[in-house]
Amino acid sequence: MVQQTEAIAPDTQHEAPPEVVKSLRDHGALPQWRLMWRQFRRHRLALIGLIVLIPIYFMAVFAGFFAPSSADTAHTALPYAPPQRVHISAEHGMFVYGYSSTRNQETFEQTFTVDKSKIVDVGWFVRGDEYSVVGPIKSNIHLIGPTKAGEAFFLVGADQSGRDLLSRLIHGARVSLSIGLVGVFASFLLGMLIGGISGYVGGRVDNIIQRIIEFIMSVPTLPLWMALSAALPGSWGPLTRYFAITVILSLIGWTGLARDVRGRFLSLREEDFVMAARLDGVGRTGIIFGHMVPSFASHIIASISMAVPRMILAETSLSFLGLGLQPPAVSWGVLLEGAQNIRAVATAPWLLTPGLAVVVVVLAMNFVGDGLRDAADPYK
Amino acid sequence: MLRFVARRLVWMVITLAAISFVTFVVIKLPPGDYTTTVIANAEARGQDIPDSQIAELKRHYGLDKPFLVQYFTWIKGVVLHGDLGQSFAWNQSVASLIGNRVLLSMVLSIASLLFVWAIAFPIGIYSALKQYSGGDYLASFLGFIGMAVPEFMLALVMMYIGFRYFGQSVGGLFSPEYADAAWNLGKLLDLISHLWVPIVVVGVAGTAGLIRITRANLLDELHKPYVATARAKGLPEWKLLLKYPVRMSLSPFFSTVGWLLPGLISGETIVSVVMSLPTSGPLLLGAVKSQDMYLVGSFVLILSTLTVIGTMLSDLALAWWDPRIRTRFQKG
Amino acid sequence: MQPLLEVRELRTHFELSDGVVKAVDGVSLSVPRGRTLAVVGESGCGKSVTARSILRLVEKPARIVGGEILLYDDAPDTKPLDLLAAKDKRLRQVRWADIAMVFQEPMASLSLVHTIGDQIIEAVRLHENVGKQAARDRAIEMLDRVGIPDPKRRVDSYPFQLSGGMRQRAMIAMALSCRPRLLIADEPTTALDVTTQAQILDLLQDLQQEFGMAIMLITHDLGVAAQVADEVAVMYLGEVVEQGPASAVLSNPKHPYTQALVRSVPRLGLRGKDRLVAVRGTVPPPYERPTGCRFHPRCDSFMAGKCDVTVPVRVRSDEIDVACLLYGEEER
């Protein structure tokens, strides 16, 4: 008999035929991670997503430096002030025009006009509000801002209390971006543990866990989140609330991941190499962590990367409804709460910019996740 | 088939029982109970309620009993008399508050479901059959955007556009002249003309997801050997694609109800808040904010129950559609 | 005598992003009328792709880039039909009516959501102008003929309700339902257990006697080839290196590759000293084909300066066509 058994699986015929793939692998052409990176790079959208995300996360980490002012600095006389344009002239260098406001005597609506007589000088690396870089290390240098500290400087406009929306956006990125990571980490632990037990032990345990997961999945999430967050005491501080919200989100978010892990475990349990390890006398934990987990780690990473944007969207929705984080905490969802009133949006459409930020970040994350998923299966 | 139905029914009852229990836990989660509210209200009016009266209240509402007994009292009321409890904030029975609103929520969610199917399947099938074509890329890109835009954002933008460029509010479900009118054809048409905006807004995310799923499923099926067999038989291309892989890839179509419906109800809730539609959303939000827990719990209970029933119906439809599932349950 | 089918210089390439894999690169072979040709070779030698190319069933990224596939009419001295040049409509008429196929995985190559009867009836009615009932009777008759018990009932079964062997029988019944002149069987027994394998091979031989069709059997198993084949074609790296009568090729192979293959087959009564020898070395990577004779890096009779430079042409040596530089012009 010829030494190899034929394994033509025509369902993969649209890609490299399995025999080609197999021979690529046999010839040890490339290690797995190199293949994955190669595959990922080929996914152009994923690469763009990564290029978009890295600076955004960087900005969130050093929010104090990148934001022209602190999140709470308010110019109470300038609610809903429109965005300013940066001008450059030989005489003044970089500057923006100030505002002059008039109040309509009948409607009491405030209208702003650009006042060309007021010139606010703008510079790079200016001194302004103090912020903490890391822990006790403080600084007051800002990437860009008015040279004279305290002047109004609204590149994307101001909110209802005359606070700089751009600064709030950058500060809010910290919470919005980190809640996705923290929440996914929590649901990852839950999902790995429960899904792993379900898939590895199997039988009755598996059956019960699957029923529970089905049950959780069949409940409409938002009403449940709302109900749970209603149960949070109003007296909790922002940090406690942040963690409570994270826990609530991940309590429901783990199910998808658990299903994934279970599926992988179930299919791996029957694989020859696991059987070989078992016959070799490798213990249970040794098999799980030494053999099984590494072989599906890439899939798990891919499915985690898809869970992060979902978590961000969930936080945004909850906070938008006023049920998630509460001011003075700033997150993109909290900022959007100010946009709930359609009249406010109509007079100050820039209030929707946090929404735009959400869309951009989530889109970029989905692209990256998609690329990772493709890359997780470099042979496919 | 009968056996299958019976099995699903039993499972559904168990699920519903679990849901009701979780709901009751949530209702009881905030510290304090009904009497706390009564006392607080009384104190606000400068009155003092004697302890004996509080004890009497507690006994009346069964609040002095153990948790499980309270649960069974509550669920007995719900099942036997449709008594969902009392809304503290509205001082009305919950059932009278939410009846119409839940109905409208369901109408909106189911309409969105139909919208999602009608849009997502043709596009998903087209995308798979014309993989890597311009249309496929466009559909994938729009799909990504659809998944990235939160429903409330879309609702806000739609309202902003309506307000800014058409000078009218797109919120609400009825024009002012019909809002309090009795049901007639005019009111129905008015409802439909208002309904399409929320339907589209609620359906966008689901549509995007379903396009991706349909496309991926069909792509998986397209290169299976049975398709090659059909081709080898000499069937014309479009005919064999419709009869074999498309037929196979539509099996998940029925199972989508299970995950699509909860998502649509969630979406509907938040969109209704933004567009102030007279569905369960705004009332639920108000109840949550005032910790009106019986009202909150009732919403969770009813919306979940309806979802579970919807899922079961879709399971039955799937069994009708896919002989593999049908026969699996015939045997055992 | 005129063959039934002649493949000339067939080239089917996989156009992948990393380069072009020449899976079939200049295959020439002929299928005699009413007899069995076995095409043998290691995994990846292109035998399956050759089989699929005959009915133009290869899908992207594979593409038939050259060659001719000539189907001869029963009447002598008529012009053969080139399947590669035929219009789609003409090709669809040839499919199943003239050339039918059986695939490796009966479970995967039958649709699981259609009954077996439905799938056979479809083929019959596609190529013959018969009514529903007549087609159904034909389906039952064919199922009976391939040895499926209780065919009247089985005709309404789904493929997953049958055992593996029964499924393959049903597939064969479907393939023969239009009385084709050529049956291409692509590894029809690989997915089955040994006993069933033998039964299916017997069945194929019986049916060949009865229907008088030619069979092109794709297999990696020389034992199977020896059991049923009248002719054998040996493939290596996308080309046929040797074709001739089965008895000659298997007992007295000409090509060093065939010789090595035959040596690697276990036989009854093998003694300790007659060690089983695997073919030396491994199949080279798919993107690089060796220069000269493609087998030269693994060949025991390698002649430096000749085999790695000159591409061998087919020559005839004792009834066998062989492509090897050991058999030179003088023997032509």
Side-chain angles (χ1 to χ4, degrees):
Chain A
M1 202 159 290
V2 186
Q3 69 268 49
Q4 288 154 324
T5 48
E6 176 85 75
I8 292 202
D11 52 328
T12 49
Q13 268 217 344
H14 55 298
E15 291 296 339
E19 56 265 38
V20 173
V21 163
K22 188 166 177 310
S23 113
L24 272 177
R25 208 176 328 178
D26 290 347
H27 288 85
L30 294 165
Q32 164 124 4
W33 62 268
R34 282 271 312 272
L35 269 173
M36 282 180 67
W37 171 238
R38 213 174 59 150
Q39 192 75 25
F40 183 82
R41 240 181 12 197
R42 207 178 288 160
H43 199 299
R44 202 160 304 155
L45 284 176
L47 217 55
I48 293 174
L50 202 63
I51 292 169
V52 169
L53 284 179
I54 290 174
I56 291 181
Y57 264 90
F58 190 73
M59 213 141 91
V61 172
F62 300 104
F65 170 70
F66 286 104
S69 72
S70 80
D72 312 312
T73 312
H75 295 262
T76 41
L78 296 172
Y80 297 132
Q84 291 164 319
R85 258 182 64 200
V86 175
H87 301 266
I88 295 171
S89 75
E91 187 187 346
H92 299 284
M94 199 163 56
F95 67 94
V96 294
Y97 290 115
Y99 299 99
S100 65
S101 65
T102 46
R103 198 176 281 279
N104 184 319
Q105 289 306 316
E106 279 161 37
T107 61
F108 295 101
E109 251 178 72
Q110 205 169 13
T111 49
F112 294 95
T113 45
V114 173
D115 187 345
K116 296 213 168 169
S117 63
K118 290 188 205 160
I119 282 172
V120 179
D121 284 315
V122 175
W124 300 102
F125 302 104
V126 292
R127 289 186 185 278
D129 298 323
E130 196 178 62
Y131 57 91
S132 106
V133 186
V134 183
I137 307 170
K138 299 210 187 274
S139 166
N140 58 4
I141 308 272
H142 296 262
L143 177 67
I144 188 171
T147 20
K148 205 159 80 192
E151 293 261 23
F153 178 64
F154 304 138
L155 284 185
V156 293
D159 69 359
Q160 73 276 15
S161 332
R163 291 173 295 197
D164 175 27
L165 202 58
L166 176 66
S167 301
R168 288 173 70 72
L169 205 58
I170 294 175
H171 284 281
R174 295 189 133 181
V175 169
S176 289
L177 295 180
S178 69
I179 208 160
L181 295 182
V182 176
V184 165
F185 182 71
S187 38
F188 164 72
L189 290 183
L190 270 172
M192 268 305 262
L193 188 72
I194 299 176
I197 291 174
S198 189
Y200 192 81
V201 178
R204 184 174 283 269
V205 177
D206 176 42
N207 222 333
I208 293 172
I209 292 178
Q210 286 316 303
R211 292 291 92 78
I212 293 175
I213 289 178
E214 265 170 35
F215 163 65
I216 296 177
M217 282 182 151
S218 69
V219 179
T221 40
L222 191 73
L224 190 60
W225 281 332
M226 288 168 81
L228 285 174
S229 66
L232 297 182
S235 57
W236 283 3
L239 198 68
T240 333
R241 217 177 156 82
Y242 172 93
F243 279 109
I245 294 290
T246 317
V247 168
I248 288 178
L249 293 183
S250 50
L251 266 182
I252 295 157
W254 62 271
T255 49
L257 205 64
R259 282 203 148 176
D260 251 24
V261 174
R262 168 184 175 266
R264 297 279 160 202
F265 261 107
L266 278 184
S267 60
L268 281 176
R269 231 170 27 156
E270 314 301 329
E271 287 278 337
D272 291 345
F273 75 97
V274 173
M275 180 58 80
R278 197 170 296 151
L279 293 177
D280 265 359
V282 181
R284 200 173 251 214
T285 42
I287 288 177
I288 294 178
F289 292 102
H291 298 267
M292 292 171 94
V293 173
S295 73
F296 64 71
S298 54
H299 290 273
I300 299 302
I301 291 170
S303 80
I304 285 178
S305 70
M306 301 298 255
V308 176
R310 277 204 297 274
M311 206 60 101
I312 292 178
L313 282 179
E315 183 276 330
T316 311
S317 300
L318 266 188
S319 298
F320 169 76
L321 290 176
L323 299 172
L325 298 164
Q326 311 280 348
V330 254
S331 79
W332 291 345
V334 172
L335 294 184
L336 279 170
E337 209 189 332
Q340 254 193 34
N341 179 351
I342 193 66
R343 278 175 199 287
V345 175
T347 43
W350 51 89
L351 289 179
L352 289 177
T353 38
L356 195 67
V358 172
V359 173
V360 168
V361 164
V362 170
L363 200 58
M365 283 179 165
N366 280 336
F367 285 156
V368 173
D370 208 49
L372 281 175
R373 203 178 43 193
D374 281 0
D377 230 343
Y379 291 116
K380 204 184 146 196
Chain B
M1 194 69 188
L2 241 134
R3 210 193 175 106
F4 175 69
V5 175
R7 192 183 282 252
R8 290 298 305 161
L9 276 174
V10 169
W11 168 233
M12 188 179 84
V13 170
I14 297 174
T15 313
L16 290 179
I19 287 177
S20 70
F21 188 74
V22 171
T23 305
F24 195 69
V25 171
V26 171
I27 288 177
K28 289 285 163 188
L29 217 49
D33 53 36
Y34 180 48
T35 54
T36 325
T37 323
V38 173
I39 297 167
N41 285 346
E43 274 169 0
R45 289 192 299 268
Q47 293 170 336
D48 208 24
I49 298 182
D51 284 356
S52 61
Q53 202 180 330
I54 289 170
E56 175 60 34
L57 269 175
K58 275 189 194 279
R59 209 167 18 258
H60 183 254
Y61 288 104
L63 295 173
D64 52 346
K65 304 264 175 52
F67 182 81
L68 274 181
V69 176
Q70 288 189 37
Y71 165 70
F72 281 114
T73 319
W74 174 75
I75 194 68
K76 214 169 81 188
V78 172
V79 176
L80 296 182
H81 314 293
D83 173 16
L84 291 161
Q86 201 67 18
S87 159
F88 303 142
W90 294 74
N91 208 8
Q92 262 186 51
S93 83
V94 168
S96 66
L97 268 173
I98 67 179
N100 270 330
R101 287 175 173 263
V102 167
L103 185 71
L104 266 179
S105 279
M106 283 325 280
V107 168
L108 194 50
S109 299
I110 290 171
S112 306
L113 187 69
L114 297 178
F115 168 80
V116 168
W117 281 345
I119 301 293
F121 283 113
I123 295 182
I125 290 171
Y126 172 86
S127 270
L129 295 184
K130 306 263 171 195
Q131 197 188 7
Y132 303 135
S133 69
D136 177 33
Y137 279 119
L138 184 70
S140 300
F141 186 72
L142 289 180
F144 268 120
I145 302 238
M147 285 200 300
V149 180
E151 286 100 349
F152 69 85
M153 227 0 237
L154 201 58
L156 277 173
V157 170
M158 292 283 256
M159 288 182 70
Y160 175 71
I161 292 171
F163 189 85
R164 189 70 204 261
Y165 299 101
F166 301 102
Q168 65 165 60
S169 151
V170 289
L173 281 184
F174 302 102
S175 306
E177 63 266 32
Y178 285 111
D180 294 317
W183 280 100
N184 57 31
L185 189 67
K187 184 166 177 169
L188 189 68
L189 289 178
D190 184 58
L191 173 69
I192 291 168
S193 72
H194 277 81
L195 211 52
W196 73 268
V197 179
I199 287 175
V200 170
V201 170
V202 171
V204 161
T207 307
L210 197 56
I211 286 177
R212 284 173 65 82
I213 291 179
T214 311
R215 177 177 180 274
N217 277 337
L218 186 51
L219 280 179
D220 274 355
E221 296 295 331
L222 273 184
H223 303 281
K224 290 254 171 89
Y226 70 85
V227 183
T229 308
R231 202 169 279 133
K233 278 196 214 169
L235 281 169
E237 194 67 13
W238 62 271
K239 204 170 168 181
L240 76 91
L241 288 177
L242 283 185
K243 179 164 178 186
Y244 293 102
V246 171
R247 166 85 163 72
M248 282 291 268
S249 71
L250 286 193
S251 274
F253 167 85
F254 295 101
S255 33
T256 48
V257 178
W259 59 263
L260 210 50
L261 204 54
L264 291 176
I265 290 181
S266 293
E268 183 275 317
T269 308
I270 194 162
V271 168
S272 297
V273 170
V274 176
M275 306 184 89
S276 46
L277 308 180
T279 69
S280 50
L283 191 61
L284 173 59
L285 181 66
V288 164
K289 283 192 166 155
S290 57
Q291 289 205 344
D292 192 351
M293 291 318 281
Y294 275 100
L295 195 49
V296 173
S298 303
F299 273 120
V300 173
L301 183 66
I302 291 178
L303 293 178
S304 312
T305 303
L306 292 175
T307 316
V308 170
I309 292 174
T311 310
M312 196 201 71
L313 291 179
S314 73
D315 276 357
L316 294 183
L318 180 62
W320 162 76
W321 176 258
D322 193 329
R324 283 169 298 176
I325 292 175
R326 197 161 61 225
T327 43
R328 192 184 313 153
F329 284 91
Q330 267 163 7
K331 278 182 205 146
Chain C
M1 187 180 153
Q2 210 176 36
L4 175 62
L5 183 89
E6 206 178 342
V7 177
R8 284 189 193 156
E9 287 297 312
L10 174 70
R11 284 169 212 284
T12 304
H13 294 175
F14 284 78
E15 288 158 356
L16 306 174
S17 43
D18 299 328
V20 173
V21 174
K22 297 175 177 170
V24 172
D25 200 22
V27 161
S28 298
L29 53 79
S30 60
V31 184
R33 275 163 203 279
R35 314 190 66 190
T36 302
L37 167 75
V39 179
V40 298
E42 289 169 290
S43 300
C45 71
K47 52 192 191 298
S48 250
V49 180
T50 304
R52 279 154 192 274
S53 299
I54 291 175
L55 280 181
R56 295 198 350 221
L57 292 175
V58 293
E59 292 174 59
K60 269 189 207 168
R63 206 161 65 83
I64 300 172
V65 291
E68 284 180 315
I69 291 172
L70 304 175
L71 178 67
Y72 290 89
D73 209 30
D74 282 341
D77 301 324
T78 41
K79 207 165 155 275
L81 173 72
D82 182 358
L83 296 182
L84 294 186
K87 290 221 164 61
D88 281 357
K89 196 171 169 222
R90 181 79 189 93
L91 179 74
R92 283 205 302 272
Q93 290 167 348
V94 170
R95 287 173 172 177
W96 229 247
D98 290 302
I99 305 176
M101 263 187 106
V102 172
F103 298 93
Q104 184 182 134
E105 277 274 359
M107 185 71 167
S109 46
L110 287 165
S111 163
L112 298 183
V113 294
H114 297 92
T115 62
I116 289 162
D118 182 61
Q119 297 180 59
I120 299 179
I121 291 166
E122 177 191 58
V124 173
R125 298 199 64 195
L126 195 65
H127 294 287
E128 289 170 38
N129 192 13
V130 293
K132 247 184 199 154
Q133 192 52 47
R136 190 182 157 86
D137 291 343
R138 170 87 64 86
I140 295 173
E141 178 202 325
M142 290 310 301
L143 289 177
D144 188 39
R145 187 59 204 83
V146 297
I148 289 180
D150 199 2
K152 282 208 177 63
R153 206 164 59 82
R154 282 301 177 200
V155 75
D156 292 319
S157 299
Y158 291 96
F160 56 86
Q161 293 169 315
L162 303 180
S163 69
M166 285 298 147
R167 275 199 288 268
Q168 195 60 299
R169 282 170 194 264
M171 186 71 211
I172 292 171
M174 184 160 93
L176 298 186
S177 58
C178 297
R179 313 275 165 123
R181 291 189 289 154
L182 171 62
L183 175 70
I184 301 176
D186 186 0
E187 304 268 2
T189 58
T190 308
L192 306 172
D193 65 73
V194 185
T195 332
T196 321
Q197 268 189 27
Q199 288 169 357
I200 296 287
L201 289 177
D202 283 346
L203 176 68
L204 280 177
Q205 281 185 297
D206 288 354
L207 293 170
Q208 184 175 32
Q209 294 270 310
E210 188 180 331
F211 291 89
M213 79 263 179
I215 296 180
M216 179 174 170
L217 179 75
I218 313 292
T219 181
H220 65 268
D221 189 337
L222 283 184
V224 168
Q227 192 187 335
V228 297
D230 302 306
E231 286 253 323
V232 170
V234 181
M235 283 188 68
Y236 184 74
L237 285 191
E239 62 180 6
V240 173
V241 293
E242 183 164 7
Q243 177 174 1
S247 52
V249 172
L250 295 177
S251 61
N252 187 17
K254 297 287 175 190
H255 198 282
Y257 174 61
T258 320
Q259 291 167 358
L261 272 187
V262 170
R263 269 201 307 276
S264 72
V265 177
R267 278 172 301 262
L268 278 179
L270 207 66
R271 297 289 167 81
K273 59 181 190 324
D274 315 324
R275 289 210 18 233
L276 212 54
V277 204
V279 183
R280 193 163 59 86
T282 52
V283 180
Y287 296 117
E288 313 142 24
R289 294 296 194 217
T291 54
C293 171
R294 287 174 202 167
F295 188 59
H296 83 257
R298 301 172 72 186
C299 185
D300 290 331
S301 319
F302 171 62
M303 298 175 281
K306 196 169 172 196
C307 290
D308 49 355
V309 182
T310 317
V311 178
V313 287
R314 283 251 207 124
V315 292
R316 174 158 285 233
S317 165
D318 316 330
E319 327 171 79
I320 295 178
D321 284 328
V322 60
C324 173
L325 294 170
L326 289 172
Y327 308 90
E329 298 291 322
E330 65 273 18
E331 285 188 62
R332 201 166 222 178

